Amino acid sequence: MNIRENIETIRQDFPILEREMSGHPVDYLDSCATTLKPHAVIDEVVRYYTYLGSNAHRGDYEMSAQVDYAFEGARKTMMEFIHASRKEEIVFTSGTTEGLNMVALMAIDQLLEKGDAIMTAETEHASSILPWQYYGCKKGIATCYMHLTDEGRITLDNFKKSLDENPNTKVVMVAQVSNVLGYQVPVEEMGAICKERGILFVVDGAQAVAHTPVDVQKMNCDFYCFSGHKMCGPTGIGVLYGRFELLDKLTPVYFGGESNARYYKDCDTLILRRTPLKYESGTQPIEAALGMAAAARYLKKIGLENIHEYELFLKRHFLERAEKELKDKVKLYNATSESGIITFNVYDNGQLIFPQDMASFLSSKGIAVRSGQHCAKLMGDIIDAPGTVRASLYLYNSLEDVDRLVDALKEATVEKCLDIFF
Amino acid sequence: MPIDPSYFRDIIMDNYSYPHNKELTEDESYRSRHMASDSCIDDITVQAKFKDGKVEDIRFDGKACTISTASTSILSELLRGKTIEEAQNIIDNYNHMIHGEPFDEDVLEEAVVFEGVAKQPNRIGCATIGWRAVQEMIDDEEAGK
Ligand SMILES: Cc1ncc(COP(=O)(O)O)c(C=O)c1O
């Protein structure tokens, strides 16, 4: 679908765009944090609550069979969405963070030895770094950081050099798209290198799945995690993709109902259910799984290539206006990144407007952006500011949304940022 | 006092651009609190010296937004020389004001410029970061820690 020509129709799919913020139509530029939801997703969630109703995998009546069918159907939709090779490679989780924690816990406990190392990057999200760092430290497994370019990009040359310098690396953990700067990481080539060297390749897809076509097989990744809410789906649901042999070999982190087949009173008597059900202890957020699958269908219908292209179109429009009208006013940190993420700071006659003051000012104009360090607190050497403002564009943003941002930035001063308090 | 927004805004701007007592001391007799545990990017250290039941001095430093910087600057001036009991009363009234509850504006003096923060709940953390630091140090002082 050509988004530019159909933007008004697409916007009508998102009922929240009818609301106001601070007395203005909402200009939602924070899709990196979470995306808005289309009717198709909301309706699917409501269908579970108003029609399907029962638990999954546990009843012997018609309603329950219908839920099983829908739930396993959602798994299949998610498999197709990221091009996994079979639906058993899709484990439902509560989101990226839980998926990444599960992978780190299982890998450190069951696959790694003292003295091994994990390689990641300073630009990564906290949920990609902290679980490895915390559990790794306990077992004598170091977390090391790969070389980046001055602008914070991961390149293949730097990656190879970093691996050569850290021959003990057994795991590489990166985001396919960084949430602060929006750079695309050369995951396919990195995956091939990892495969060749017998390194486990773990990819955080939180900022990628909704913005570009994803193929976990081409990427040669062992694990891939993402969240439903960042792809127009509900909160509280996500996917942990794992290569089948690995998932089948590993023992889960949690135990409980639904994930076991049999157990007796003694140690070592537990028989787990087959993969992936052994990873899904307890009642799942069924309506969220169904909603996430509806979101995947919605995005596929529009076309992920089209979404990516449209984001770049919006960003180009911002850059063109910024170049002409915001030259000395705005410092951009990622003009060259190929995504809808714009990370910047605003200056008032040379004085930095503190990012949070800026975000409050924009909020008073109905514009939603995020300020801060965006959960990547090791970025200090790449961005020499106490934080940044991040505007993230998505398929439901119009050119007018971008224009409103530029107009507001032109007008911003430190003093005006204080107006909201009076 | 009639509210004149531009006058209030000027006070905040002044305290942001030229903050009072924004320099830390090495003096060991000061208590110190590093406030960086909140999720926002404000990162400030506040120091306080108590003597004979009084607040003798307050200083701070760090990187923070207009509201955090200005409110800590005003706080550092306002509490100097007050007894701990008076300081506590000021802090209590300030907290009432920030949360939109009735408060005694006379004891708050210049700090009344932050009354409007009550309308912006997501900035309450900014307006109270320095104040929370001093509260914690008063609690420690009272507990003889
Ligand atoms: C790159 C990246 N990884 C992980 C996460 C965590 O996602 P969630 O909060 O949905 O678990 C985010 C979300 O901000 C992200 O941007």
Side-chain angles (χ1 to χ4, degrees):
Chain A
M1 183 188 285
N2 183 323
I3 302 179
R4 262 190 250 184
E5 283 166 14
N6 293 288
I7 185 66
E8 278 317 311
T9 323
I10 288 176
R11 285 174 66 83
Q12 280 166 17
D13 290 341
F14 292 83
I16 211 165
L17 292 174
E18 281 160 29
R19 72 160 276 178
E20 296 195 335
M21 185 168 82
S22 315
H24 303 273
V26 66
D27 183 351
Y28 187 76
L29 305 181
D30 197 17
S31 295
C32 260
T34 199
T35 50
L36 306 179
K37 321 303 173 200
H39 279 297
V41 169
I42 299 165
D43 293 348
E44 182 66 356
V45 171
V46 170
R47 184 174 76 100
Y48 174 76
Y49 283 129
T50 52
Y51 181 70
L52 290 169
S54 80
N55 211 325
H57 306 306
R58 23 188 110 173
D60 293 314
Y61 42 90
E62 186 185 350
M63 262 167 85
S64 148
Q66 288 169 338
V67 169
D68 287 357
Y69 182 76
F71 190 72
E72 290 308 312
R75 200 188 301 280
K76 184 150 174 288
T77 302
M78 298 319 292
M79 166 200 98
E80 288 162 358
F81 191 62
I82 58 167
H83 299 95
S85 64
R86 50 194 286 189
K87 91 181 174 52
E88 291 78 11
E89 295 183 322
I90 303 295
V91 176
F92 288 118
T93 62
S94 67
T96 314
T97 303
E98 187 184 37
L100 292 172
N101 271 273
M102 283 164 65
V103 173
L105 271 165
M106 293 190 293
I108 288 170
D109 185 38
Q110 301 169 48
L111 303 174
L112 304 183
E113 301 294 339
K114 189 175 172 190
D116 289 346
I118 290 142
M119 180 173 296
T120 181
E122 284 160 18
T123 42
E124 295 301 323
H125 192 276
S127 48
S128 290
I129 297 179
L130 297 180
W132 297 100
Q133 190 186 63
Y134 184 81
Y135 293 106
C137 279
K138 291 189 168 200
K139 198 169 165 177
I141 296 167
T143 301
C144 57
Y145 297 89
M146 64 185 83
H147 297 289
L148 301 170
T149 64
D150 291 343
E151 53 174 5
R153 221 181 245 281
I154 294 177
T155 60
L156 274 186
D157 283 348
N158 274 333
F159 176 58
K160 284 188 220 155
K161 183 169 142 209
S162 308
L163 282 182
D164 291 339
E165 286 171 11
N166 296 279
N168 295 345
T169 301
K170 291 285 154 53
V171 176
V172 167
M173 166 78 245
V174 290
Q176 187 180 355
V177 175
S178 128
N179 69 310
V180 186
L181 298 170
Y183 294 131
Q184 297 245 15
V185 172
V187 279
E188 286 185 18
E189 295 83 350
M190 289 171 74
I193 294 171
C194 288
K195 190 173 177 188
E196 193 184 294
R197 302 194 188 197
I199 294 170
L200 202 71
F201 187 42
V202 186
V203 180
D204 166 356
Q207 298 297 348
V209 279
H211 307 275
T212 186
V214 166
D215 187 325
V216 290
Q217 295 186 72
K218 272 201 199 142
M219 221 183 277
N220 272 307
C221 63
D222 295 293
F223 294 104
Y224 189 90
C225 302
F226 59 96
S227 303
H229 72 94
K230 290 187 199 283
M231 51 170 282
C232 297
T235 55
I237 188 79
V239 166
L240 158 60
Y241 156 86
R243 246 189 335 107
F244 185 77
E245 298 124 71
L246 270 169
L247 281 184
D248 210 39
K249 172 170 117 180
L250 291 167
T251 304
V253 174
Y254 308 120
F255 302 93
E258 284 313 293
S259 61
N260 73 79
R262 299 265 180 292
Y263 58 95
Y264 307 93
K265 285 185 187 164
D266 299 321
C267 293
D268 294 327
T269 59
L270 167 64
I271 302 169
L272 289 167
R273 288 186 70 186
R274 62 182 194 281
T275 305
L277 299 180
K278 69 177 183 183
Y279 289 103
E280 294 170 2
S281 279
T283 298
Q284 300 297 302
I286 301 164
E287 78 288 15
L290 305 189
M292 175 167 63
R297 289 192 293 271
Y298 179 82
L299 297 180
K300 247 171 114 170
K301 195 180 81 198
I302 292 178
L304 284 137
E305 300 275 10
N306 298 333
I307 294 174
H308 185 62
E309 190 194 310
Y310 183 70
E311 291 171 347
L312 296 185
F313 161 72
L314 291 179
K315 181 168 176 181
R316 253 193 328 273
H317 180 68
F318 176 87
L319 292 176
E320 279 162 19
R321 279 200 66 189
E323 171 72 21
K324 284 195 219 114
E325 302 167 56
L326 296 168
K327 202 108 211 237
D328 301 315
K329 182 113 204 223
V330 167
K331 178 167 178 180
L332 277 170
Y333 296 98
N334 66 342
T336 64
S337 83
E338 29 320 81
S339 73
I341 301 176
I342 304 170
T343 306
F344 59 93
N345 267 314
V346 184
Y347 289 80
D348 173 6
N349 285 314
Q351 184 186 18
L352 170 75
I353 304 184
F354 215 75
Q356 205 171 6
D357 290 320
M358 196 58 230
S360 290
F361 172 73
L362 292 174
S363 162
S364 72
K365 306 244 167 215
I367 305 172
V369 297
R370 170 110 184 253
S371 73
Q373 294 169 316
H374 319 297
C375 299
K377 300 198 177 181
L378 302 180
M379 295 266 301
D381 294 342
I382 294 152
I383 292 178
D384 61 345
T388 53
V389 183
R390 181 185 71 186
S392 41
L393 307 164
Y394 198 39
L395 70 100
Y396 36 66
N397 288 123
S398 60
L399 279 177
E400 191 197 342
D401 287 346
V402 179
D403 284 332
R404 280 173 65 188
L405 174 67
V406 176
D407 293 341
L409 297 180
K410 271 169 86 169
E411 195 196 311
T413 62
V414 177
E415 267 195 78
K416 282 194 181 164
C417 290
L418 292 174
D419 284 348
I420 58 164
F421 298 105
F422 301 104
Chain B
M1 202 194 310
I3 294 191
D4 174 356
S6 74
Y7 173 64
F8 278 15
R9 196 189 301 107
D10 288 349
I11 294 178
I12 298 179
M13 275 301 283
D14 262 4
N15 277 278
Y16 176 60
S17 305
Y18 312 101
H20 299 288
N21 307 306
K22 192 162 179 276
E23 188 181 9
L24 297 178
T25 166
E26 310 257 294
D27 186 337
E28 300 269 316
S29 65
Y30 280 69
R31 290 181 181 274
S32 181
R33 270 286 184 291
H34 181 204
M35 304 297 280
S37 59
D38 270 333
S39 63
C40 81
I41 46 189
D42 290 339
D43 185 337
I44 67 170
T45 298
V46 186
Q47 296 177 321
K49 178 165 179 165
F50 302 101
K51 201 164 168 224
D52 307 327
K54 281 193 170 169
V55 181
E56 200 172 272
D57 191 25
I58 293 179
R59 2 206 79 252
F60 75 105
D61 203 2
K63 288 185 177 148
C65 68
T66 47
I67 299 297
S68 306
T69 306
S71 69
T72 310
S73 165
I74 288 176
L75 152 93
S76 69
E77 285 291 290
L78 185 57
L79 296 194
R80 178 180 295 123
K82 301 282 193 300
T83 64
I84 288 184
E85 206 174 316
E86 287 163 342
Q88 187 63 60
N89 183 38
I90 293 170
I91 295 174
D92 291 344
N93 275 287
Y94 184 79
N95 283 329
H96 289 317
M97 175 183 79
I98 294 291
H99 290 98
E101 294 155 11
F103 66 97
D104 177 355
E105 59 182 69
D106 292 339
V107 304
L108 288 186
E109 302 180 28
E110 266 197 345
V112 295
V113 298
F114 298 106
E115 188 176 359
V117 173
K119 294 189 296 192
Q120 301 288 338
N122 56 345
R123 300 300 295 276
I124 287 176
C126 312
T128 52
I129 185 168
W131 297 70
R132 276 178 285 137
V134 171
Q135 179 70 63
E136 287 175 19
M137 290 188 279
I138 288 180
D139 292 346
D140 281 359
E141 179 73 15
E142 300 267 78
K145 271 197 246 171

